[in-house]
């Protein structure tokens, strides 16, 4: 059977497809959570999800669909994905592609070695393919989209903002005990460049008299790193167990220590969506995506190396009235930025093509 007959002999359908390029076994942290949580919404809506094994077979068997949404989340595409997505391009009224980062475009000087040049070529071919199949692109920030197209390397397509969503089911039930010593938590990986973890440790060293400090991270190297720091408690927990852990340890704040630089203002710090879901106020630099999300008047914006200022801000907001203002702000933001809303936005973009 020729490819044209294969495509046109399929039944018409009103469903959509979530196509996941990377192997989720090799994806961790925020990107994995985003794909999984968005996938739950697609599944709930009765849509198809193509991920893991037998992608080509699933693409061949897929009916015609309204749109295919592609989670690229990788810097190079495999041959099986190229073939599968080419078939889905023929079966889809629209194809949307999500681009997670533009590291190769922003830091070309890091890829001057022979291996680096090969990786850059693979990334370039991947993006050329995406620009061929896509009706439009989605990026976590609009600035990233502008960088992606600024050199004129790829055929420019419309692009839209699609930041990560707020997970559900993580909300704390109780406020902290304001008569007791507050806890501060660092959540997530520590070993990657620009994690800012050393600023968290320095703050803990300076203010251990005032706070209890906790690290929730899957980094096993922390057992050795923190062995000489008895005032910092490290453990690993599934995400759904974190609310109880916060309550048991009177944790009132999170410390988002990622520093600001030009590239980080292009990306979206996904772990803050967990803080929003938990209703957990957090200290953070004024990352541009967070200013847009939280508002310019968010009271815990600070330089993560300005330790005295951070201490004063945390102290000033550690009372029922001010703390409740923060948690109410988070609740309102979370209600407007769940994965149901992200799915609804994808659908609205599809419908806009038919107006």
């Amino acid at each position: 059977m020729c490819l044209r007959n294969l495509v046109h002999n399929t039944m018409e359908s009103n469903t959509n497809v979530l196509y996941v390029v990377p192997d989720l076994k090799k994806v961790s942290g925020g990107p994995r959570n985003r794909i999984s949580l968005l996938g739950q919404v697609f599944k709930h809506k009765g849509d198809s999800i193509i991920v893991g094994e037998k992608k080509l077979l699933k693409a061949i068997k897929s009916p015609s669909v309204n749109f295919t949404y592609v989670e690229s989340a990788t810097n190079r595409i495999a041959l099986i994905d190229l073939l599968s997505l080419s078939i889905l391009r023929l079966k889809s009224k629209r194809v949307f592609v999500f681009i997670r980062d533009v590291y190769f475009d922003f830091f070309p000087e890091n890829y001057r070695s022979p291996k680096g040049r090969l990786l850059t070529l693979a990334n370039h071919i991947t993006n050329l393919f995406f620009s061929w199949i896509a009706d439009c692109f989605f990026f976590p920030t609009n600035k990233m989209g502008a960088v992606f197209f600024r050199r004129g390397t790829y055929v420019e397509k419309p692009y839209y903002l699609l930041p990560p969503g707020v997970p559900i089911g993580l909300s704390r039930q109780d406020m902290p005990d304001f008569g007791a010593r507050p806890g501060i938590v660092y959540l997530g990986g520590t070993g990657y460049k620009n994690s800012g973890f050393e600023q968290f440790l320095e703050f803990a060293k300076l203010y251990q008299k005032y706070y209890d400090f906790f690290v929730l991270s899957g980094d096993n190297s922390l057992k050795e790193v923190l062995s000489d720091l008895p005032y910092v408690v490290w453990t690993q927990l599934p995400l759904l167990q974190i609310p109880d852990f916060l309550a048991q340890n009177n944790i009132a704040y999170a410390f988002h220590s990622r520093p600001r630089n030009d590239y980080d203002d292009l990306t979206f710090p996904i772990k803050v969506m967990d803080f929003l879901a938990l209703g957990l106020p957090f200290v953070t630099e004024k990352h541009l995506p967070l200013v847009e999300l939280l508002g310019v008047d968010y009271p815990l914006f600070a330089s993560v190396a300005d330790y005295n200022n951070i201490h004063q801000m945390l102290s000033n907001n550690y009372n029922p009235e001010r703390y409740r203002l923060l948690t109410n702000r988070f609740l309102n933001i979370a209600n407007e930025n769940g994965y149901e809303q992200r799915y609804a936005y994808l659908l609205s973009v599809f419908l806009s093509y038919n107006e």
Side-chain angles (χ1 to χ4, degrees):
M1 182 183 292
C2 71
L3 182 59
R4 176 174 295 181
N5 290 336
L6 179 69
V7 172
H8 290 289
N9 286 345
T10 55
M11 295 177 58
E12 287 292 330
S13 169
N14 290 321
T15 61
N16 310 299
V17 170
L18 166 62
Y19 188 97
V20 180
V21 171
D23 181 355
L24 286 184
K25 296 177 182 178
K26 299 179 181 179
V27 179
S28 61
R32 181 185 176 92
N33 289 337
R34 187 194 68 245
I35 294 170
S36 298
L37 292 168
L38 187 58
Q40 290 176 17
V41 180
F42 270 79
K43 183 177 180 180
H44 177 71
K45 301 295 184 181
D47 295 330
S48 300
I49 302 173
I50 298 180
V51 61
E53 299 177 350
K54 300 181 180 179
K55 287 181 176 179
L56 183 58
L57 180 61
K58 293 174 184 176
I60 291 172
K61 289 185 175 181
S62 173
S64 297
V65 297
N66 284 329
F67 69 80
T68 292
Y69 169 75
V70 182
E71 271 279 346
S72 62
T74 183
N75 287 318
R76 53 192 178 276
I77 195 169
L79 177 60
I80 194 68
D81 295 303
L82 189 149
L83 295 173
S84 301
L85 286 171
S86 296
I87 291 173
L88 288 172
R89 169 67 275 185
L90 296 172
K91 294 188 173 192
S92 306
K93 295 177 182 176
R94 302 294 174 189
V95 173
F96 305 150
V97 175
F98 176 80
I99 300 292
R100 189 181 77 188
D101 66 62
V102 289
Y103 202 84
F104 284 86
D105 297 280
F106 206 78
F107 299 108
E109 67 276 6
N110 292 344
Y111 299 93
R112 301 302 188 195
S113 67
K115 180 180 179 181
R117 292 180 185 276
L118 285 175
L119 291 173
T120 300
L121 178 62
N123 174 253
H124 178 62
I125 292 172
T126 296
N127 288 337
L128 282 174
F129 173 73
F130 284 147
S131 65
W132 171 66
I133 67 168
D135 291 286
C136 66
F137 284 88
F138 291 86
F139 297 89
T141 67
N142 281 322
K143 286 187 67 176
M144 185 181 293
V147 169
F148 184 81
F149 288 113
R150 71 182 177 186
R151 291 177 180 163
T153 305
Y154 311 118
V155 177
E156 187 158 353
K157 300 287 181 74
Y159 62 89
Y160 301 90
L161 175 67
L162 193 74
V166 178
I168 60 174
L170 293 181
S171 180
R172 295 180 298 167
Q173 299 301 313
D174 301 314
M175 296 280 280
D177 179 358
F178 296 103
R181 179 181 168 114
I184 300 177
V185 66
Y186 178 98
L187 177 64
T190 64
Y192 64 93
K193 186 179 180 180
N194 291 332
S195 72
F197 187 56
E198 61 276 7
Q199 275 75 40
F200 170 78
L201 294 182
E202 184 64 20
F203 184 77
K205 177 183 176 181
L206 293 173
Y207 290 95
Q208 56 185 290
K209 294 180 180 179
Y210 301 92
Y211 309 97
D212 295 320
F213 291 92
F214 302 87
V215 177
L216 296 180
S217 174
D219 294 346
N220 291 320
S221 62
L222 290 175
K223 183 175 182 179
E224 181 178 350
V225 172
L226 301 176
S227 61
D228 295 329
L229 305 179
Y231 47 86
V232 179
V233 176
W234 165 64
T235 190
Q236 302 179 21
L237 284 177
L239 193 59
L240 293 178
Q241 293 182 20
I242 292 179
D244 289 339
F245 183 85
L246 299 181
Q248 292 164 7
N249 294 282
N250 201 46
I251 295 174
Y253 297 108
F255 198 101
H256 182 243
S257 55
R258 179 171 160 179
R260 269 195 74 186
N261 56 50
D262 289 341
Y263 183 73
D264 281 328
D265 275 343
L266 297 181
T267 62
F268 198 103
I270 193 170
K271 75 173 67 172
V272 306
M273 306 311 262
D274 293 336
F275 301 149
L276 292 172
L278 292 163
L280 183 64
F282 58 98
V283 174
T284 182
E285 295 266 3
K286 275 191 173 182
H287 299 279
L288 294 184
L290 296 187
V291 174
E292 294 175 3
L293 181 69
L294 301 174
V296 295
D297 60 340
Y298 179 65
L300 298 183
F301 282 133
S303 167
V304 293
D306 190 350
Y307 306 120
N308 182 63
N309 183 42
I310 291 173
H311 173 56
Q312 292 300 321
M313 289 193 308
L314 298 183
S315 299
N316 291 341
N317 286 277
Y318 193 59
N319 62 71
E321 182 178 357
R322 290 192 176 184
Y323 197 89
R324 177 64 71 183
L325 289 174
L326 287 170
T327 57
N328 285 343
R329 181 191 294 235
F330 281 15
L331 179 62
N332 291 333
I333 294 172
N335 287 338
E336 296 173 358
N337 289 275
Y339 281 95
E340 285 279 354
Q341 285 79 12
R342 298 294 182 259
Y343 179 93
Y345 183 63
L346 290 174
L347 187 58
S348 72
V349 172
F350 169 74
L351 293 175
S352 71
Y353 279 95
N354 301 320
E355 292 179 351

